[in-house]
Amino acid sequence: MLSAPKFLFVPVSSAEGVGEYMRSKIIADEVLRRWPKSQISFALNRQAPYVKQCPYSTYLLDDTPTKKIKEVNQLVSELEPDVVVFDAAGRKAQLKHAHKLGAKVIFISQHRRKRTRGMKIGRALVTDSHWVVQPEFVIGDISRIERLKLEMINVALPLFTGSIFTHPNARGQELLYRKYELKPRQYLIYSAGSGGHLANDRLAADLFAEVAQAIYKKTAIASVMVFGPNYPNLLPKMDGVIAIEQLSNDEFINLLDGAKGAVLSGGDTLLQAIALNTPTLAVAVSKDQPARIKKCVSQSVILSCATHFDEMLNAGLSLIEEKTICRLKASMGGCSSLNGLDIAMDEIERLINQT
């Protein structure tokens, strides 16, 4: 096994979303924890607001990496990584180039269209491991035709990891409770994702924060609003709302795990909440989220509503009723949705052992 493996992470990155970068960083952090001598680099869009916060070697591109075929290929040639992780990013030419140079290629898909693209013969032949970071009940099983096609070319089926996040820990939770003067199961946490999404021609984060304040005024339950790294304005001061610019993934997970309930967008944090058994109201803030939310609602594991103040307020008040909490927890308890970080690390170890 390599003692100092080299990793290159190539997540989708833009001025709006942050989910792919955060997932890649979570994986990178765990890689470094397990293999402390690892060399880790990121290829990111220079327009993404979080680029200056990336703790790893960062190579900046003028657009999302998928659109910069030549530049990413040149970077792979220069760095000669042992493992390249394309998180919802990458053209076939980029995967092929990394594979040709001897890197183990990991492709991460987060919805059906990306999964189908990853299983196309040309891409599958140069992909060493394809991870699906959605629970199977959300994205659905792979069709018989797709299975047969991959079997014919002797390629492994995609690996369902589910959502990937850091594990909560009691010590970290206690520190956060003290910092924000919270008590477990006696606060609600709100997040509209990266903070850059719009809802009805305004920032979704501002709408979520207004709902948080309204629910606090009606219930006196503490409200924690995480605005996100892409939120462009100064944080507002709102009575009853603990406004936080951003949290690391482990901090967010610790607060999400300890919350009475959550009001979230329909991205990765929604699936994390389900895995943590936290009652959640989901509100779509981007075009890829309604389908995911609909699947979760069909399993009775969340509540959902439109991006409208009155609907969010009423649904949020319903969320914290004891009968709703009991019903959602019972449904989530019967749902196979786990943290995929350990699955991902086992797969990386397998790949590294092959190099």
Side-chain angles (χ1 to χ4, degrees):
M1 180 175 178
L2 295 172
S3 59
K6 293 189 290 186
F7 288 79
L8 174 62
F9 288 86
V10 189
V12 165
S13 54
S14 68
E16 187 177 64
V18 71
E20 291 83 5
Y21 164 73
M22 288 300 300
R23 180 168 50 236
S24 287
K25 182 181 177 297
I26 292 164
I27 297 168
D29 291 345
E30 185 66 12
V31 163
L32 194 62
R33 190 186 73 80
R34 298 196 184 196
W35 299 286
K37 295 182 180 180
S38 299
Q39 301 174 50
I40 297 173
S41 302
F42 274 70
L44 298 173
N45 181 352
R46 68 175 71 252
Q47 305 301 322
Y50 46 78
V51 292
K52 293 182 180 179
Q53 302 167 14
C54 183
Y56 300 105
S57 297
T58 306
Y59 297 87
L60 301 182
L61 307 169
D62 292 330
D63 206 332
T64 192
T66 301
K67 296 182 179 180
K68 292 295 177 179
I69 298 175
K70 180 179 178 181
E71 290 84 349
V72 170
N73 285 351
Q74 183 176 343
L75 183 58
V76 171
S77 295
E78 292 174 358
L79 296 178
E80 297 182 338
D82 299 297
V83 179
V84 183
V85 181
F86 291 94
D87 195 331
R91 303 283 189 191
K92 181 176 71 173
Q94 293 168 326
L95 277 66
K96 184 177 181 179
H97 182 73
H99 181 81
K100 181 180 178 181
L101 293 185
K104 295 298 182 182
V105 175
I106 296 172
F107 176 69
I108 299 177
S109 62
Q110 81 279 42
H111 50 69
R112 187 182 292 270
R113 180 172 56 83
K114 289 276 188 179
R115 184 181 70 180
T116 298
R117 182 183 302 172
M119 290 189 290
K120 287 185 176 181
I121 292 176
R123 295 173 66 96
L125 287 171
V126 293
T127 301
D128 295 281
S129 189
H130 177 175
W131 303 350
V132 181
V133 288
Q134 298 277 333
E136 192 171 341
F137 78 84
V138 171
I139 195 172
D141 198 4
I142 298 164
S143 71
R144 282 187 59 197
I145 293 177
E146 289 171 327
R147 288 175 179 273
L148 180 60
K149 179 179 66 177
L150 294 179
E151 289 175 4
M152 289 178 63
I153 60 175
N154 196 29
V155 169
L157 295 172
L159 177 67
F160 285 94
T161 68
S163 186
I164 291 174
F165 55 95
T166 55
H167 294 284
N169 67 88
R171 175 59 178 163
Q173 286 179 321
E174 182 59 32
L175 292 174
L176 289 166
Y177 295 157
R178 291 180 186 177
K179 180 177 180 179
Y180 296 113
E181 299 180 353
L182 299 169
K183 293 182 179 180
R185 303 291 181 260
Q186 295 185 34
Y187 64 91
L188 298 174
I189 187 167
Y190 299 75
S191 171
S194 69
H197 295 289
L198 296 177
N200 303 320
D201 298 322
R202 61 180 305 207
L203 287 166
D206 289 334
L207 173 60
F208 277 52
E210 291 173 9
V211 172
Q213 184 178 47
I215 291 178
Y216 168 78
K217 288 181 177 180
K218 287 182 175 291
T219 66
I221 298 174
S223 295
V224 178
M225 176 66 205
V226 184
F227 281 81
N230 293 2
Y231 184 72
N233 303 328
L234 293 175
L235 295 187
K237 294 183 179 180
M238 307 174 73
D239 182 38
V241 177
I242 301 169
I244 302 174
E245 181 178 3
Q246 61 179 304
L247 295 169
S248 65
N249 181 256
D250 61 324
E251 291 173 329
F252 184 83
I253 290 298
N254 280 331
L255 286 180
L256 182 61
D257 179 62
K260 181 181 183 69
V263 179
L264 305 171
S265 61
D268 281 346
T269 54
L270 169 60
L271 301 178
Q272 292 163 6
I274 294 171
L276 293 170
N277 218 30
T278 299
T280 299
L281 167 63
V283 184
V285 300
S286 65
K287 62 183 180 180
D288 66 316
Q289 295 181 0
R292 181 182 302 121
I293 291 173
K294 185 177 180 180
K295 285 285 188 180
C296 293
V297 169
S298 72
Q299 297 291 316
S300 302
V301 294
I302 63 167
L303 301 183
S304 71
C305 70
T307 49
H308 184 276
F309 177 85
D310 289 338
E311 290 192 36
M312 290 180 65
L313 174 58
N314 291 332
L317 292 172
S318 176
L319 176 71
I320 56 179
E321 295 177 356
E322 282 305 312
K323 62 180 181 180
T324 305
I325 290 174
C326 291
R327 175 170 58 83
L328 293 178
K329 283 183 173 289
S331 296
M332 288 186 287
C335 172
S336 59
S337 180
L338 303 174
N339 185 354
L341 184 58
D342 293 333
I343 297 172
M345 288 303 108
D346 289 344
E347 184 67 357
I348 285 176
E349 184 171 6
R350 182 184 72 82
L351 295 174
I352 290 176
N353 283 335
Q354 292 178 352
T355 58

